[in-house]
Amino acid sequence: MTEETAADAPQAHPTVSVVGPGDGETIVLGTTHMRVLEDGSHTGHRLAIAESVLAPHTQGPPQHRHAQHDEGFYILSGTVRFTVGDEHHDATTGTLVMVPPGTPHTFANRTDRPAVMLSTFTPDLYVQYFRDLQDVLADGRPLTPQANTDAMSRYATEPATDLA
């Protein structure tokens, strides 16, 4: 191959990921249904994205802190109550909540209507946590506080026990 031919050859580009409606990995955790849109495999593990539907009156996880990743929540529909430390924020459609590492937080749908949110995890570290919780339920084991804490600990996350 000559230098001229090599220069004219098309350059390799990263593969574009397209996840259509109804595509993606589904994770069911009780009354919460999560659709993983990007698990980090197309972003060099820098970013993961999931869509979650919270049924009415769904309690979220115990208040917790992430040591190694940022978590973002964009409310697509409904209202989600975020508790950050001892402060409550009712996030409605169109609201973005960004949680940096080390910040205690949890969320819940306290309303009579479903809520839908888009979540980001930077880096993608925490997606596997949700898979682990689903495995606990699939194995017929109860999702106890200890099982949740054990799963969190594998992903640089701990309960905010000082706020319990």
Side-chain angles (χ1 to χ4, degrees), residues 100-131:
T103 304
H105 65 286
T106 189
F107 57 86
N109 179 2
R110 299 167 49 100
T111 73
D112 293 329
R113 297 178 38 196
V116 182
M117 62 184 182
L118 192 68
S119 301
T120 60
F121 312 96
T122 309
D124 69 337
L125 180 67
Y126 215 52
V127 171
Q128 189 59 44
Y129 161 77
F130 298 108
R131 291 173 175 150

Side-chain angles (χ1 to χ4, degrees), residues 7-164:
D8 293 338
Q11 299 297 310
H13 295 285
T15 303
V16 172
S17 172
V18 177
V19 180
D23 293 341
E25 173 188 0
T26 300
I27 297 175
V28 178
L29 300 172
T31 58
T32 299
H33 290 225
M34 175 182 277
R35 185 167 67 113
V36 179
L37 304 171
E38 172 56 53
D39 67 358
S41 61
H42 297 96
T43 64
H45 302 284
R46 294 179 307 274
L47 170 69
I49 303 171
E51 175 188 67
S52 296
V53 179
L54 308 176
H57 307 285
T58 294
Q59 292 300 315
Q63 197 157 181
H64 57 280
R65 294 179 175 93
H66 305 291
Q68 298 179 1
H69 72 273
D70 294 273
E71 197 167 25
F73 304 90
Y74 182 74
I75 309 307
L76 297 169
S77 66
T79 301
V80 179
R81 161 79 50 102
F82 286 87
T83 301
V84 181
D86 59 2
E87 296 179 15
H88 302 288
H89 306 275
D90 287 331
T92 58
T93 301
T95 301
L96 174 68
V97 177
M98 287 300 304
V99 181
T103 304
H105 65 286
T106 189
F107 57 86
N109 179 2
R110 299 167 49 100
T111 73
D112 293 329
R113 297 178 38 196
V116 182
M117 62 184 182
L118 192 68
S119 301
T120 60
F121 312 96
T122 309
D124 69 337
L125 180 67
Y126 215 52
V127 171
Q128 189 59 44
Y129 161 77
F130 298 108
R131 291 173 175 150
D132 288 358
L133 292 184
Q134 181 174 251
D135 289 347
V136 167
L137 294 171
D139 289 347
R141 294 177 284 153
L143 192 52
T144 64
Q146 187 60 51
N148 199 344
T149 299
D150 291 346
M152 283 182 176
S153 70
R154 291 191 292 272
Y155 305 102
T157 299
E158 64 182 14
T161 55
D162 55 322
L163 298 168

